[in-house]
Amino acid sequence: IEYNENKWIVPKPIIDIRAYTASNLVSIAILLKKAYHEDPYLYDQSIELFDFLQEKVSHSVYKQNSIEELFPSCKDEFYLIKTAIEKTQEIKFSFHYDDNVKHVQPLKITNLEQYWYLFCYDLKQNSFWTYHFKGIKNIKVLEQIFSLDEHLYRDKLENAINAYFNIYEENAVRLRLSKAPMKVLQRKQLNSSQKIYKDEEFKDKYIMDITVSDLREISPLIQQWIPHIEVIYPENLKNIIRENLENYTI
């Protein structure tokens, strides 16, 4: 964007639509609102830009897996919980059709495998808990303030892979990869603990070490890449894969 003769000029965009995440899109929405109130010309140019992107994304070459949409159906809930997290305020809410009101300390809103979740400490359950965001209704932000220092595990939240994540388990996993999954996983890490390196025992193979919580966090990936991924350890993970394959029927 360039500023010229008292106007903001938006040049013709060349943007890879695949680079956008859900959080990027939230930021874009905020910027558009700001532009609308402060500079109508910039706002009009921005709309043209995103019309252009919409045309690109409709083309099959740019098609990406859909991310669960939070707006507009959960817009109010999102901002209520976001503010409560920032101010470390406890909240209460109902969840789907459960009659029991939840009382939690909200820790993080996160997207896992295209779906949105709330990570929190559930005071009634007296444990860490995960709630699918779209099931959260009737939110009440409370005056009670909690301390993040009480949740010493909060750094672990960044390593969640999918909804099986929990903060109470920790499992070291070692996998043997062929070149195809290695290339994919080198480009996009599952979490920060992941390491990939050359297998010294087998030519054209690679080793991936990763730490997960529940072993079911990693089992879907392995099943997706059979026979190109082999479990070296733990044995319990091998058993999960075997059981899933034995129970699978066409």
Side-chain angles (χ1 to χ4, degrees), residues 104 120-130 153 167-168:
V104 310
C120 60
Y121 185 82
D122 191 306
L123 294 164
K124 289 186 176 180
Q125 300 283 349
N126 198 29
S127 66
F128 173 83
W129 213 259
T130 302
Y153 52 76
I167 52 88
Y168 301 110

Side-chain angles (χ1 to χ4, degrees), residues 206-220:
Y206 301 83
I207 299 296
M208 185 176 96
D209 291 334
I210 189 169
T211 300
V212 300
S213 58
D214 192 309
L215 290 172
R216 289 174 294 179
E217 276 197 282
I218 194 73
S219 61

Side-chain angles (χ1 to χ4, degrees), residues 20 25 42 82 89 93 98 140 147 161 191 225:
Y20 285 97
L25 296 176
L42 176 59
K82 175 180 179 292
Q89 290 178 275
F93 58 83
D98 191 340
K140 182 180 180 181
S147 172
I161 296 173
N191 68 32
W225 281 101

